[in-house]
Amino acid sequence: MASASSTAPFFEIREEELHNQMKQQQMASIPTSSTAASQTTAPVKKKRNVPGNPYPDAEVIALSPKTLMTTNRFICEVCNKGFQREQNLQLHRRGHNLPWKLRQRSTKEVRRRVYVCPEPTCVHHDPSRALGDLTGVKKHFFRKHGEKKWKCEKCSKRYAVQSDWKAHSKTCGTREYRCDCGTLFSRRDSFITHRAFCDALAQEGTRLPTGLSAIGSHFYGNSSMALGLSQVNSQITSLQDQSQPSSNIPQLGGSSASGSHFDHLISFPNLSPFHPPQPPPSSAFFLGDCSNHEFNEETQSHHSYPQNKTFRGLMQLPDLQSSTIASSSSAAAATANLFNLSFFSNSSCTSSINTSNNASNQNNHLLISDQLRNGNGTTLISGNMSNHMGASISSIFSTSMQNESSYPQMSATALLQKAAQMGSTTSGGSSLLQCFNSSSSSGAKRTNFQASFSGGSSGGGDGLRYQMENETRLHDLMHSLANGKAGLIGGSDGIAAFGGSCTTGQQGQESGGFGGFNSGLCNVDEAKFHHNLSAGSVRGSDQLTRDFLGVGDMVRSMGGGVSQGE
Amino acid sequence: MGGMVQDEGSSSVTSSPMQCFPLIPLSPAAQLMSPPVPWLRELKSDERGLCLIHLLHNCASHVAAGQLEHANACLEHISLLAAPDGDTMQRIASHFTEALARRVLRSWPGLYRALHPPAAPGRPPPDALLARRHFFDLCPFVRLAFVVSNQAILEAMEGERVVHVVDLGGPASDAAQWAALLQALRARPEGPPHLRLTVVHDHKEFLDLTAVRLTEEAERLDIPFQFHPVVARLDNLDVEMLRVKTGEAVAISSVLQLHTLLAADDAAAAVAGHRRKTPSPLAKNPSMAQLHRIVQMNYQGTLGELLEKDHANGRSPSQDSASSSSLALAPSPKTECFLASLWGLSPKVMVVTEQESNHNAPTLTARFMEALNFYAALFDCLESTVPRMSVERARIEKMLFGEEIKNIIACEGGERRERHEKLEKWVQRQELAGFRRLPLSYLAMLQARRLLQSYGCEGYKVREEDGCFFFCWHDRPLFSVSAWRFGRF
């Protein structure tokens, strides 16, 4: 590498250099010139043209371990300074006023060389597997047969080659692994170790309700979705292969029933569904797996994978339910949906049990029911289960979506984003949305018409009185709507009457303002509701207040109307 | 029936964002509530939040338009929903309404002064200091700024024997930063340098306390240490007062402080506008001003250096004129002057931490929106980490965030000191002044991450962009840290 060729006058210097190196190290061979130096190092140099050699006519060079490992091979005899390249040494010699000679670019064709690893047991010891460049063989030798003396201070990983260590140092700690408990990890292995213990903590946490963030619950929602799919998968695979599950599934049931599942988790650390860089497996993937019979051949690994996932998902479900239940009673619907979600998978599982009569599967079933009993009364679950038995995967998805969005409390940032979204989608297709936007974004318009209304209240006095009278009815209506009781029809009647009464009072006054409001409405009922809104906005003394209530009312009553329509 | 409604809810999810207004069962207590709006208080948190945002928008636009009647109606309504001890949005709303109300009230200066007598200029109320303390303890941002700044200083000072650190002070300034730096310098492989610390602060008590604490710490660590207090405000600080000597390696640190300079600019501009039609040649020609300053500050360099510096400064105004047109950086001669004079100290590093939000927009509504979003994220931080009933949290919200909000919303001119601006603006200013960017190191990032890890709250993040760091709450950057070095053109 250092010298591709040497000319005759250069040879003396080379001799000196060789001498130095001999003193310093027991040299097996030195990559020197093809003619002169090859004679001196002839005994160890193998020069073969083996078939399979990438460069059949290349010169095969075997270097001693010491030669490979020295960094500064070219030593100045005056000051013992070492150099990596001969050229540098020559330049250095000039400083000592020693004879120096810079290598000339030779006109002769340089013969390609390949290098073999000096380690006899290594595959690259064989000249047919020689490596194409000196740096390559050096790095190979360091990596495979050398001491790993470069240690990463951050993660204690060791490297034999400095450049590997440097490359690692650049990325070490940049990738983050985040546990649901909020802890960050820079290394994957420590993250996985942590997960094993953190799951245990989460399981204990089911007994004492722990506060989970909205993100956390969303995450669990997702994971339980994946769980449903994977569980179906595991069922199918276990049905397809009746020989294996007896060993696998009981293991799952046993470890979870006892609550000590460390061994299980640790034994499949790579399969953690919570590993951030790996997205949760898609449904297509798993469904594809189900129908794929090839999997049965590799039973051990493929069985353990879905089972592990299933198992972990189950572990976390109780956590989820405790958090949602603890949060507020108004989230009961969301909780119920979550149970549907989780239970859909379970129910499909139980059905498969019925068909297969597999003892080990029943084991699995027992585990599930245990967990459910643990967390919550089963009545709610079973009720909803029957509702959702036939639900498709997409419905699972939507329920989990709902769980996320109807989580009891949103952060202020999220609310602001939501408000911005609502403000920006004025041209959206939904009439509901338009209503809301027209009322929310046109504050000036509204206040104008209110002013005009209060100004011309002498004319509309009747209407005003009407509205005052109807105020209690409006509130009743609101309540009935909000409660979602059966009085919806009566409620809409009331609205119709009310709407009528308010239009008598204010016809012709705010047609402009109302035009905007009504633009998005497409059905009569909604229009009535809308009048209701405007009526609410006009009556009383604090008009703005009423108006804003109107916004809320409208949306509220719209919700009621839609549900009634279905 | 219930099942139907629920089914309905799940299917309408995907179609409309009305989601946030689902049916809510009202408790019987709703009927018992007093008029005018019995069920209003029973709104679910999200609905109330959206309602509040909507009301706040309207209110701000009314205030901006000077429609006080409407603004009053809005405020009346908000007051029914907002609560300083409620959920996040209620808390935010209560502080923003107070700010808006103050702004309205300012149109009657007599009333305003009667209700809010100007605070004694001596020292901030103890509650404000406590609030700072709590903010420092409960939110990681200031600590992060300290850690990253110190790391940048440490790296820039590698191998230096005489180090002069200048802290531009401000309310966020804390002895903890310098105690940490002392320890880091102690641990240097080449041994600690001689450290000289200049702290600029407008309260002498603060400086005295800091001096005692740091001197003790330095003695304990056996580091040669000199403390040099400068009682001054940043807007009337002369770099000469920093007493930077030749041979010192200078580091400058500013934590949430530089933006106060922009207020001085505004005030000066207003005064200038009042007094004379034609601006003074000094103000008109920044290069002249810089030259003056360089001459004034008695720079102990060779003539060549001075000329070179002059040349460098001479180039910046031309960039100024070019950039002010293209990048629309508001002219701020005072800030530019100050930064240029700092540049004149040839600092090896200058670390700037600032709020990452534009609270210096000329219009109230723009400022209001920016502030609402910025402080919403800060309130969210507290919401997720501190219980609602916490006294400390209430204090931070009232005495720190609340005061800043009031300043941003209610004040104008020189009084409006919380003129936070985004990093992009600071980058322009720094580059205009001749600074070159010094990318923050990976080690600094690691330290910041480690610190965040110790907080154990997943919402906080540190993001790196072009060698500058952003401290974020989830995806929203809240604070920026950038490092600069003295550079020649």
Side-chain angles (χ1 to χ4, degrees), chain B residues 24-42:
Chain B
I24 43 159
L26 288 184
S27 66
Q31 273 92 358
L32 301 178
M33 287 295 235
S34 63
V37 271
W39 56 272
L40 190 56
R41 289 170 191 275
E42 294 300 310

Side-chain angles (χ1 to χ4, degrees), chain A residues 154 169-174 176 178-185 213 215-216 330 333 336-337 340 384 387-388 398-399 401-402 405-416 418-419 421-422 430 432-433 436 439-441 443-444 446-448 471 475 478-479 481-486 488 542 544-546 548-549 551-553 555-556 559-560 562-564 566, chain B residues 1-27 30-31 36-40 43-51 53-55 57-58 62 67 69-70 73-74 76-77 80 87-89 92 369 372-374 376-377 379-380 383 388 442 446 449-450 452-453 456-462 473-474 476:
Chain A
K154 282 171 273 180
S169 301
K170 277 180 191 159
T171 55
C172 181
T174 51
E176 286 178 353
R178 182 192 309 280
C179 177
D180 300 310
C181 68
T183 323
L184 272 176
F185 294 88
S213 69
I215 295 157
S330 70
N337 278 325
N340 287 334
N384 284 315
N387 265 350
H388 281 255
S398 68
T399 50
M401 286 275 287
Q402 197 213 8
S405 50
S406 68
Y407 196 79
Q409 172 132 30
M410 290 172 83
S411 69
T413 325
L415 279 172
L416 280 165
K418 188 157 211 154
Q421 265 176 17
M422 292 170 107
S430 158
L432 285 173
L433 197 55
F436 183 79
S439 58
S440 67
S441 60
R446 243 176 301 121
T447 50
N448 282 343
E471 187 174 335
H475 281 290
M478 286 308 132
H479 286 231
L481 285 176
N483 283 327
K485 282 174 187 162
L488 264 172
D542 44 350
L544 249 140
T545 307
R546 291 289 174 267
F548 289 120
L549 299 188
V551 174
D553 282 351
V555 174
R556 204 174 284 268
V562 175
S563 73
Q564 183 202 4
E566 289 204 357
Chain B
M1 186 63 222
M4 271 189 69
V5 171
Q6 185 193 319
D7 279 354
E8 167 48 40
S10 63
S11 65
S12 72
V13 172
T14 47
S15 61
S16 101
M18 284 300 109
Q19 189 60 30
C20 53
F21 291 104
L23 294 180
I24 43 159
L26 288 184
S27 66
Q31 273 92 358
V37 271
W39 56 272
L40 190 56
L43 279 174
K44 253 171 81 179
S45 172
D46 296 358
E47 298 172 313
R48 189 175 48 218
L50 282 174
C51 201
I53 292 167
H54 173 59
L55 284 168
H57 277 210
N58 280 0
H62 289 318
Q67 297 170 316
E69 298 278 326
H70 297 321
C74 275
E76 196 182 340
H77 193 100
L80 292 171
D87 65 38
T88 326
M89 208 55 227
I92 295 166
M369 282 316 297
L372 189 59
N373 280 293
F374 179 77
F379 274 73
D380 276 343
E383 170 75 12
R388 284 195 182 161
Y442 177 67
L446 275 184
R449 290 229 174 98
R450 203 174 299 155
L452 280 187
Q453 212 163 324
C457 176
E458 61 176 24
Y460 299 119
K461 293 201 177 73
V462 184
W473 173 250
H474 289 290
R476 178 172 175 107

Side-chain angles (χ1 to χ4, degrees), chain A residues 276-297:
Chain A
Q278 293 172 350
S282 70
S283 58
F285 175 73
F286 268 110
L287 293 173
D289 280 357
C290 300
S291 57
N292 194 349
H293 287 254
E294 283 168 23
F295 271 19
N296 295 335
E297 271 128 52

Side-chain angles (χ1 to χ4, degrees), chain B residues 356-357 374 463 470-480:
Chain B
E356 178 67 4
S357 188
F374 179 77
R463 214 171 64 203
F470 291 103
F471 305 146
C472 308
W473 173 250
H474 289 290
D475 294 332
R476 178 172 175 107
L478 292 176
F479 297 90
S480 68

Side-chain angles (χ1 to χ4, degrees), chain B residues 298-439:
Chain B
N298 203 3
Y299 181 77
Q300 304 105 323
T302 64
L303 183 63
E305 270 177 313
L306 183 62
L307 285 176
E308 200 173 336
K309 203 178 284 285
D310 184 25
H311 172 65
N313 281 336
R315 273 183 58 175
S316 58
S318 66
Q319 281 193 342
D320 179 14
S321 57
S323 64
S324 63
S325 58
S326 60
L327 298 166
L329 185 67
S332 45
K334 173 92 185 170
T335 316
E336 278 162 29
C337 259
F338 183 75
L339 289 178
S341 62
L342 286 183
W343 182 86
L345 300 174
S346 321
K348 292 201 76 169
V349 64
M350 173 171 181
V351 197
V352 180
T353 307
E354 277 297 320
Q355 282 91 343
E356 178 67 4
S357 188
N358 183 14
H359 296 154
N360 199 15
T363 60
L364 174 68
T365 39
R367 230 155 61 207
F368 183 87
M369 282 316 297
E370 274 282 334
L372 189 59
N373 280 293
F374 179 77
Y375 286 100
L378 278 177
F379 274 73
D380 276 343
C381 295
L382 287 177
E383 170 75 12
S384 68
T385 47
V386 189
R388 284 195 182 161
M389 284 303 129
S390 156
V391 184
E392 288 81 14
R393 177 171 165 189
R395 201 174 276 141
I396 298 174
E397 289 177 348
K398 185 174 182 334
M399 296 307 295
L400 185 62
F401 298 164
E403 289 299 316
E404 283 179 8
I405 292 167
K406 271 188 248 171
N407 193 277
I408 294 165
I409 305 291
C411 297
E412 284 299 344
E415 266 180 298
R416 185 156 65 81
R417 286 168 60 81
E418 303 296 338
R419 293 172 181 252
H420 314 144
E421 289 200 356
K422 293 201 174 191
L423 180 65
E424 55 206 42
K425 291 285 184 64
W426 290 111
V427 166
Q428 288 178 35
R429 291 211 177 83
Q430 291 279 10
E431 282 174 354
L432 228 126
F435 284 98
R436 296 282 187 81
R437 200 184 296 216
L438 186 67

